[in-house]
Structure formats: structure tokens, C-alpha cells
Amino acid sequence: GDATAVEPLVTCLEDSDVDVQRHAVLALGYVGDERALVKLDQLSACLADRKSAGNVEIAGAAEEVATAIRKRV
């Protein structure tokens, strides 16, 4: 993955569009850079409290990606 993509992707995690968030989470998983961990953890915790299906899905994906990145580091 391209490490220069981390900051723009992290910014996309704050987008109001759940599709943008979802794609950003998946792309951050592909890049695998530990700089994304804090934001992924925050996103997961924040969205897990909101019970819509899209939020729960993205929260779970963010948690899985963060776990995968931690295993690589």
C-alpha cells in the first residue's frame, strides 16, 4: 500500500457518507499503516454506539482492520 494515502484516507473516515467511510476503512486495511490505528479505534467506538446497520458494519470493519494492522506491526 501507499503510505502517502494514509492522511487523506483518515480524513475520509469523518465523511458523513457511510460508503466513503466504508471504502476508507478498507483502503486503510490495504495500506496497513499503523498511523491509522487511533482514528480506526475512534471510529469503531463511536459508530458501535449508534445502532444503524451501516454504522455497526463500519464499526466492525474498522475494528477488524485495526486488529489486522496491529498483527502486522
Side-chain angles (χ1 to χ4, degrees):
D2 185 354
T4 62
V6 173
E7 291 304 319
L9 288 169
V10 165
T11 300
C12 289
L13 295 177
E14 298 174 7
D15 198 281
S16 61
D17 186 327
V18 293
D19 288 327
V20 171
Q21 291 178 341
R22 181 180 302 111
H23 289 291
V25 167
L26 296 175
L28 285 166
Y30 176 75
V31 173
D33 193 301
E34 64 187 35
R35 292 176 293 163
L37 287 173
V38 171
K39 281 295 193 179
L40 287 167
D41 290 341
Q42 289 172 348
L43 180 68
S44 179
C46 177
L47 293 180
D49 291 339
R50 301 179 192 155
K51 299 300 181 191
S52 76
N55 287 342
V56 171
E57 176 190 348
I58 295 169
E63 186 176 341
E64 287 178 26
V65 166
T67 299
I69 292 172
R70 284 186 176 91
K71 287 181 181 179
R72 288 188 223 160
V73 177

